[in-house]
Amino acid sequence: MKKIYVFLIGILVLGLASCSTDDSTTNATKSAQVALNASINTGSTRVTESDKDNVFTTAWGTGDALSVSFADDTSNPMSLNWKASNDFTGEVTDAQAQQFAKGDSIYGFNYNTNSNITLGSPFSASVAFTGQTGARDNIAQYDLMYGKGDPSKIVSFNHQICVLRLDFNDTQLSGTITGASFSFTSSNNQSLFANKADYTFNSTTHNADLSTTDANSLTLSNPSIAITNGQTSVYLAVPARTSVSGTLAIKLTCTSGTYTKNITLTDKNFPSATVQTKIITSLEKGISVGDYVYSDGTWGSNEKDSNGIWQSKPNGQSALNLGLDQVINQDEDITADIVDKF
């Protein structure tokens, strides 16, 4: 059964803390100090998962910042840096501080110097979906948020990406995931993955115009995801999508071997600010060095039993095609050769 886990949307409360009133300072000089309180769930990292209520929550962390502008002064964005807890501070001009106090509307994005988010104008930004590790906390690198509102009241920043969470549950799996690739073949010309997404917001309606550089596949970068009792989760950041149909081919490499699984998607939506989940069971184990290849086209790790007879456990793999014609009579003994190299 598919479940939807919804991002908790951060509510940012802005207020004027203090400002310089030195008569020798011009409005073009950043001499005023403003403070911003971001009421988002706290955590040691900016993306955490809460066991309570099974929701996916976000929190600010080291390196986080906000770039905000007033509608009539978009050429001078203000950078507010995360300080501690939910507090952001930054130096602005006296004129900007006065606009803060008046409650003139502000607009902008979050960013982090270590993230895959690149800011353009106050109304545009892009996310590069490359370099994903599949870890939960890695989602923070791609978690673009856009905010608008009255800085003297409450300003909400909304998540723009979607997270695809794949929950693996198969007792064959053990150890650590060290490699994973995901290939999507669309049946309706709607892609799932993207190398990059460009977001441009209308300065009046604030609706997002999303443009993507699509990709057919996504390969994790040096993953190291622990498996416990055959269970683990892989998190993938994707742009918002609608009516996705096709086949998602998964290839997973972990300590116990390499496994594959194909998943069919039919008119599946991937809305922004949500986590779409899929439970994956009964993976097919690929052939590995040390496995035995049987003359009936199957393979496995079994050897001869105590009577010297080859034993093979059914594991659902397709027959191995070695490019040879194979005719197996019903009463023919099945033999096996060990794979020692490829």
Side-chain angles (χ1 to χ4, degrees):
M1 177 179 180
K2 297 180 181 178
K3 298 181 180 178
I4 297 178
Y5 295 76
V6 181
F7 281 100
L8 298 188
I9 297 176
I11 303 299
L12 306 188
V13 182
L14 294 139
L16 177 65
S18 62
C19 62
S20 172
T21 57
D22 188 344
D23 292 337
S24 64
T25 303
T26 66
N27 284 341
T29 303
K30 292 185 177 181
S31 59
Q33 186 81 11
V34 294
L36 176 152
N37 179 264
S39 181
I40 299 180
N41 292 327
T42 59
S44 59
T45 58
R46 199 169 65 77
V47 174
T48 62
E49 184 179 11
S50 170
D51 292 331
K52 182 180 179 181
D53 299 327
N54 226 7
V55 297
F56 193 91
T57 65
T58 60
W60 301 114
T62 302
D64 279 331
L66 300 173
S67 179
V68 294
S69 301
F70 293 104
D72 60 353
D73 191 21
T74 57
S75 62
N76 294 299
M78 297 165 285
S79 181
L80 306 177
N81 298 312
W82 181 76
K83 183 178 180 181
S85 185
N86 298 321
D87 298 327
F88 287 77
T89 60
E91 287 190 345
V92 300
T93 66
D94 288 344
Q96 290 172 329
Q98 292 170 8
Q99 287 181 285
F100 259 81
K102 287 192 305 180
D104 289 353
S105 293
I106 62 169
Y107 315 91
F109 298 95
N110 67 307
Y111 70 96
N112 190 306
T113 55
N114 296 320
S115 74
N116 284 43
I117 297 171
T118 302
L119 301 183
S121 71
F123 299 104
S124 66
S126 62
V127 178
F129 290 98
T130 56
Q132 298 192 48
T133 67
R136 180 189 61 210
D137 292 348
N138 184 241
I139 294 299
Q141 302 296 105
Y142 313 90
D143 188 14
L144 176 69
M145 291 183 279
Y146 175 75
K148 61 182 178 66
D150 181 345
S152 68
K153 297 179 181 178
I154 296 176
V155 179
S156 61
F157 276 66
N158 302 311
H159 301 272
Q160 299 303 312
I161 67 166
C162 177
V163 174
L164 172 58
R165 171 175 151 176
L166 302 175
D167 294 329
F168 294 92
N169 189 349
D170 192 325
T171 55
Q172 297 181 91
L173 306 178
S174 64
T176 302
I177 294 177
T178 56
S181 61
F182 309 88
S183 177
F184 183 70
T185 303
S186 175
S187 60
N188 63 353
N189 296 319
Q190 174 63 288
S191 298
L192 172 60
F193 300 119
N195 289 324
K196 182 183 178 185
D198 297 304
Y199 300 81
T200 302
F201 287 80
N202 185 287
S203 60
T204 302
T205 65
H206 300 285
N207 293 325
D209 179 16
L210 174 61
S211 174
T212 60
T213 303
D214 294 334
N216 295 325
S217 62
L218 188 158
T219 299
L220 295 187
S221 177
N222 299 316
S224 180
I225 304 171
I227 301 170
T228 302
N229 297 325
Q231 299 180 14
T232 191
S233 295
V234 173
Y235 296 79
L236 305 177
V238 297
R241 303 287 199 184
T242 58
S243 300
V244 176
S245 295
T247 301
L248 176 61
I250 301 172
K251 183 178 180 181
L252 199 69
T253 300
C254 61
T255 307
S256 55
T258 298
Y259 304 85
T260 60
K261 183 76 173 184
N262 288 346
I263 298 174
T264 300
L265 302 180
T266 304
D267 290 329
K268 176 65 178 175
N269 294 325
F270 295 86
S272 60
T274 67
V275 178
Q276 304 293 317
T277 68
K278 175 66 178 179
I279 298 175
I280 301 174
T281 61
S282 303
L283 286 86
E284 295 186 1
K285 188 177 187 300
I287 188 169
S288 303
V289 172
D291 284 345
Y292 285 82
V293 179
Y294 302 95
S295 58
D296 63 352
T298 63
W299 62 88
S301 58
N302 305 309
E303 303 181 26
K304 293 180 179 179
D305 62 14
S306 57
N307 296 319
I309 304 299
W310 294 105
Q311 299 294 318
S312 174
K313 292 183 179 179
N315 52 18
Q317 312 102 305
S318 300
L320 178 64
N321 185 357
L322 299 178
L324 302 175
D325 292 333
Q326 297 180 349
V327 179
I328 306 296
N329 297 323
Q330 187 173 3
D331 57 353
E332 183 177 348
D333 292 335
I334 296 177
T335 60
D337 292 317
I338 190 170
V339 178
D340 59 2
K341 64 180 178 179
F342 290 108

